[in-house]
Amino acid sequence: MIKHHPSFELIQSFVNGDLPASLSAGIAIHADMCPKCQQIISQLTEQVAENSFEETFLDRFIVDDMSDFDDNNMSNNDLKFTDMIDNITSSEEIAVAKTKVEKTINFREKTYQLPSALHSMKLGKTAQIGKLSRARVQLDEGEIHTTLLHISPGGGVPEHTHKGFELTVLLDGSFHDEQGEYVKGDFIMLDSSHQHHPISIQGCLCYTVANDALHFTQGINKLLNPIGAFIY
Amino acid sequence: MQTNLLSNVTSAKSTLMTDKIDHPQLCQWLDDVATTRDKKAFTQLFQFFAPKIQRIAYGKFQNETQACEVVQETMSNVWRKAHLFDASKGAATTWVYTVMRNVTFDMLRKIKGNREDNLSDDIWPLAEQSISNEECFDDHLENSQLLSVIDTLPEAQKQIVKGFYFMEMSQEQLATHLNLPLGTIKSRLRLALAKLKVQLGDNND
Ligand SMILES: [Zn+2]
């Protein structure tokens, strides 16, 4: 059973469209597997939509620097809107409903279904070190790195910490760390105060987002720090 | 505001709708646009949504030109996708909000990093897009009316509509099968659907 969910604040930013694509996709992937969050998201979206299109709600946000929309400019705006209506309605184009497609990805001879939130994202080539394989999700978000990380049975990531955050959404299989066991669908958000050492007995596939290379903290593993940049 | 949202989130769907917005009216206008390409109904929708979208977008972009682009893009999606709106899946405001938020998200990505990947519809699928084409046409198939209307289409369009909806072939498969460019398949399907929509709309009135 899924035990780890995004915080309400995160869901709020998701609904507002304020998160980067990497984190937005992480929440969408989780919600696809979690009816509870799915419901929170749809109710929140309904409410935010209602508020957005309510006159009184908007009035509260009209401030002085919005002089662009003052009465003086209003007639100008009306003209622009009339043009826009003519322009839009002159088009005979009709959108066709998207057909559902399935996409898959292979890691070590195993085929996994690619979450639909990732369907239009470009994936890099798969690289491997030991029991770890990864494919970068090429989102171009600067210091934020997004990865599909596969751990073969018995593999793990040496104990490490982050300067920033590290999100893991478990797409398939399970793993455990000092805090407990994680299953398919779990949404695990860690920050720099967490240290952990995930191990997967059965093997697993994760969607990970981190805004800094991970930093190994223990003994000989410190020598592995270049691997940190490999994984996240 | 945050605590407000938190407490309301648990309450029932219907109580989230206030009396301040005439929801049945919005649905009616959307339906008129969908069935008869009604320009008057669209103008009503535009007058309701556009100024609000413009203000919200201005808040995000701090730029009038880009705010207008969001209005243009959102409202033309409303025009092109009105027939995909399903009132049983949620309010018209929720649907338009989703379209607006998705347009804004893709535009922000484009502006920030010159990335034209349009990821939003995969991350936040519009409610109607979860219905597959087969399901949505199954309802209509019950009355043989659709079949007879399809038969009035020009041969080139008929072939594609039948392959797409009855044989469940993808547009790519059809292109290979019929040895035609994918673009031709897409435009023929679009034309055919527009015609069907008009005909079915007329017949249903
Ligand atoms: Zn959840």
Side-chain angles (χ1 to χ4, degrees):
Chain A
M1 206 186 79
I2 298 178
K3 271 190 296 196
H4 302 269
H5 309 269
S7 67
F8 185 75
E9 287 71 24
L10 216 48
I11 288 183
Q12 246 180 335
S13 317
F14 169 78
V15 165
N16 290 333
D18 290 336
L19 294 176
S22 49
L23 290 177
S24 302
I27 293 174
I29 293 168
H30 168 80
D32 256 355
M33 297 187 266
C34 176
K36 194 183 135 207
C37 287
Q38 185 63 72
Q39 201 195 355
I40 295 174
I41 289 167
S42 38
Q43 289 187 345
L44 189 59
T45 308
E46 191 178 329
Q47 185 169 17
V48 169
E50 180 85 10
N51 290 343
S52 298
F53 298 128
E54 221 177 65
E55 214 70 60
T56 50
F57 176 81
L58 285 160
D59 290 345
R60 278 186 266 147
F61 285 84
I62 300 173
V63 282
D64 293 341
D65 70 341
M66 301 230 4
S67 53
D68 282 344
F69 305 119
D70 273 356
D71 290 344
N72 292 344
N73 277 313
M74 230 35 210
S75 54
N76 191 4
N77 216 18
D78 279 349
L79 278 176
K80 209 160 42 189
F81 277 173
T82 312
D83 278 355
M84 227 188 254
I85 293 172
D86 288 341
N87 180 295
I88 291 170
T89 53
S90 68
S91 163
E92 280 174 26
E93 209 188 319
I94 282 182
V96 180
K98 267 197 191 166
T99 20
K100 263 194 192 166
V101 285
E102 290 196 351
K103 286 191 177 180
T104 57
I105 182 163
N106 291 330
F107 283 100
R108 312 259 173 156
E109 266 113 62
K110 230 188 135 187
T111 303
Y112 297 91
Q113 224 175 73
L114 198 66
S116 53
L118 310 183
H119 276 190
S120 305
M121 296 181 184
K122 253 204 279 173
L123 298 179
K125 265 177 53 191
T126 306
Q128 302 186 348
I129 289 188
K131 288 183 188 287
L132 302 175
S133 325
R134 64 114 163 109
R136 284 240 192 273
V137 185
Q138 290 166 342
L139 289 172
D140 256 330
E141 292 182 317
E143 58 166 8
I144 301 178
H145 291 149
T146 304
T147 308
L148 287 171
L149 179 68
H150 181 265
I151 305 178
S152 292
V157 181
E159 178 156 359
H160 64 275
T161 181
H162 288 268
K163 279 194 218 137
F165 65 85
E166 174 199 85
L167 164 69
T168 305
V169 184
L170 202 36
L171 303 180
D172 201 52
S174 65
F175 72 82
H176 67 268
D177 67 8
E178 296 78 349
Q179 272 77 49
E181 181 82 14
Y182 304 96
V183 298
K184 183 175 172 170
D186 270 331
F187 183 99
I188 309 137
M189 182 63 110
L190 301 177
D191 62 32
S192 52
S193 64
H194 298 86
Q195 277 193 14
H196 75 153
H197 177 197
I199 294 170
S200 181
I201 293 165
Q202 313 286 328
C204 65
L205 179 65
C206 305
Y207 173 81
T208 68
V209 183
N211 68 344
D212 189 39
L214 73 171
H215 192 76
F216 295 108
T217 49
Q218 242 186 5
I220 192 86
N221 283 333
K222 284 184 187 168
L223 295 173
L224 297 175
N225 273 327
I227 299 182
F230 166 82
I231 300 171
Y232 293 99
Chain B
M1 192 177 105
Q2 196 171 307
T3 38
N4 207 346
L5 285 173
L6 255 171
S7 59
N8 280 339
V9 141
T10 49
S11 54
K13 189 175 171 182
S14 54
T15 61
L16 293 177
M17 292 194 190
T18 61
D19 314 330
K20 288 170 199 145
I21 296 175
D22 188 350
H23 289 279
Q25 178 63 75
L26 292 176
C27 288
Q28 184 55 53
W29 286 330
L30 271 175
D31 193 54
D32 290 343
V33 171
T35 50
T36 59
R37 312 302 282 153
D38 185 339
K39 197 180 158 179
K40 261 199 197 125
F42 180 77
T43 304
Q44 299 282 357
L45 285 168
F46 194 97
Q47 279 163 357
F48 178 84
F49 285 111
K52 292 159 191 160
I53 294 171
Q54 191 181 28
R55 285 203 178 111
I56 295 165
Y58 188 84
K60 292 222 173 195
F61 290 88
Q62 297 295 314
N63 173 309
E64 211 196 329
T65 316
Q66 282 158 354
C68 273
E69 224 177 292
V70 174
V71 175
Q72 161 88 33
E73 211 26 52
T74 304
M75 291 314 293
S76 61
N77 272 323
V78 169
W79 175 250
R80 291 187 306 115
K81 293 183 174 177
H83 60 291
L84 300 176
F85 168 70
D86 181 349
S88 72
K89 297 212 163 173
T93 41
T94 309
W95 188 71
V96 176
Y97 175 82
T98 304
V99 173
M100 171 187 75
R101 193 251 333 268
N102 290 9
V103 163
T104 307
F105 183 85
D106 288 333
M107 243 177 82
L108 276 170
R109 253 181 86 73
K110 208 189 279 182
I111 292 166
K112 274 195 210 150
N114 210 15
R115 295 161 293 213
E116 306 217 16
D117 38 12
N118 299 327
L119 305 173
S120 64
D121 285 350
D122 287 337
I123 297 172
W124 298 277
L126 288 172
E128 88 282 341
Q129 286 177 346
S130 60
I131 336 162
S132 66
N133 282 306
E134 291 81 41
E135 284 171 44
C136 104
F137 269 75
D138 270 353
D139 302 341
H140 297 285
L141 278 179
E142 313 245 340
N143 60 57
S144 56
Q145 189 195 7
L146 178 70
L147 272 173
S148 62
V149 175
I150 287 175
D151 277 329
T152 65
L153 290 172
E155 191 55 43
Q157 291 173 17
K158 205 194 305 183
Q159 226 177 3
I160 288 164
V161 170
K162 286 192 166 171
F164 192 70
Y165 291 109
F166 303 145
M167 287 144 72
E168 301 186 10
M169 294 170 86
S170 71
Q171 300 191 26
E172 288 77 10
Q173 284 170 325
L174 277 165
T176 317
H177 181 69
L178 298 171
N179 196 21
L180 288 167
L182 185 57
T184 310
I185 302 285
K186 287 190 171 163
S187 60
R188 281 189 192 166
L189 191 58
R190 234 184 355 243
L191 273 173
L193 285 181
K195 262 183 218 159
L196 289 178
K197 205 80 219 175
V198 172
Q199 294 222 29
L200 288 171
D202 285 353
N203 292 343
N204 285 342
D205 277 347

